[in-house]
Amino acid sequence: MKHLNIGIFAQVDAGKTTLSEALLYCSGQLRKLGRVDHRDSFLDTHGLERSRGITIFSKEARFQTEHLSITLLDTPGHIDFSPEAERTMQVLDYAILLICGTDSVQPHTQ
């Protein structure tokens, strides 16, 4: 079975963790969708992340399809934590850049 490492990148509040949760839910890895704003997301487990409602530390989750094993990396979007997001780039096969349609492309994203 082929294995891929995929990272999700975007500016803060663009929906990285929400997309990650949806992928895990649709793959059957999660029984319930969590939400960052409800402080119950699967990937934001640290107390600081839950209290602030943002991703601070990159988190990994694994799921499988019929032909692929995937490690998904959810990264922080806040500029203060960009070194954490940049560290994950070294291990990726693919990166997903998520752009929030209502906020447009932010300078940090460029």
Side-chain angles (χ1 to χ4, degrees), residues 2-51:
K2 185 174 180 178
H3 182 81
L4 295 176
N5 294 318
I6 300 173
I8 299 180
F9 298 88
Q11 65 231 23
V12 68
D13 293 333
K16 293 174 302 302
T17 302
T18 302
L19 175 61
S20 298
E21 296 269 327
L23 289 169
L24 294 170
Y25 178 77
C26 289
S27 72
Q29 289 301 110
L30 295 180
R31 293 183 185 198
K32 177 182 173 260
L33 283 171
R35 290 181 48 152
V36 174
D37 56 341
H38 290 171
R39 316 253 191 281
D40 65 353
S41 65
F42 175 75
L43 293 166
D44 286 343
T45 56
H46 195 279
L48 283 173
E49 293 175 316
R50 294 207 175 202
S51 67

Side-chain angles (χ1 to χ4, degrees), residues 10-13 16 52 54-56 75-85 108:
Q11 65 231 23
V12 68
D13 293 333
K16 293 174 302 302
R52 293 180 68 179
I54 62 171
T55 300
I56 297 172
T75 63
H78 195 281
I79 194 165
D80 290 346
F81 309 112
S82 59
E84 178 73 13
H108 175 65

Side-chain angles (χ1 to χ4, degrees), residues 81-108:
F81 309 112
S82 59
E84 178 73 13
E86 291 169 8
R87 276 192 289 272
T88 66
M89 292 180 186
Q90 300 173 41
V91 299
L92 297 181
D93 297 307
Y94 295 97
I96 298 170
L97 178 61
L98 187 62
I99 304 292
C100 178
T102 57
D103 291 339
S104 188
V105 178
Q106 301 294 307
H108 175 65

